Amino acid sequence: MMPGQTRPVFLNLLQIRLPVAGIMSIAHRAAGVLLFLAIPFVVALLSLSLSDQKGFDQVQTLLRQPLMQVGLLLLLWALAHHFLAGIRYLAIDMHLGVQAPCYRQTAWAVLVAAPVLALLLLWGLS
């Protein structure tokens, strides 16, 4: 630190404004963690649904519950967001969309398209 400069005494993390690409990046990581944590639950449901007709009916009944619909929507959002953001990051790795207006637009596109895609998938599953 140079003489005469003072360090911040209190850093309020709620006042820091991240760029939209930063918000999308954090959401990408959160979606990945959520998908990873959901693996045992999804495998258990799949196993139960494949066991017999009674198990399949139990899974269908369970997934029709309002709380489970919210959980399913959250998982579908995580899947859609992680997929779309992954494609965006692959394009960035190939030096596509690295310029200032384009990287903001693609970040916004992922943030808007993921919940829309999740709602469409949930509607298609119902």
Side-chain angles (χ1 to χ4, degrees):
M1 180 169 264
M2 297 216 149
Q5 290 182 339
T6 58
R7 295 177 58 192
V9 177
F10 175 71
L11 182 61
N12 187 349
L13 296 177
L14 298 176
Q15 290 180 344
I16 295 175
R17 290 199 42 179
L18 282 175
V20 68
I23 294 168
M24 198 231 41
S25 176
I26 291 170
H28 179 72
R29 293 165 196 256
V33 169
L34 181 62
L35 289 171
F36 176 75
L37 293 176
I39 289 173
F41 177 71
V42 171
V43 168
L45 282 180
L46 180 63
S47 176
L48 180 61
S49 73
L50 295 175
S51 62
D52 57 1
Q53 184 64 39
K54 183 181 175 189
F56 182 79
D57 293 337
Q58 286 176 336
V59 170
Q60 275 191 322
T61 303
L62 182 65
L63 289 178
R64 287 189 182 123
Q65 300 298 320
L67 189 59
M68 289 300 291
Q69 289 280 307
V70 171
L72 187 57
L73 179 64
L74 186 63
L75 280 177
L76 288 172
W77 165 81
L79 184 63
H81 183 89
H82 204 71
F83 178 75
L84 294 172
I87 291 172
R88 179 181 180 270
Y89 287 130
L90 283 173
I92 288 173
D93 286 344
M94 293 185 294
H95 304 287
L96 301 172
V98 184
Q99 297 80 20
C102 191
Y103 78 83
R104 279 189 218 102
Q105 293 167 349
T106 57
W108 274 112
V110 169
L111 288 173
V112 170
V116 170
L117 187 57
L119 285 169
L120 288 172
L121 287 170
L122 185 63
W123 177 68
L125 292 175
S126 298

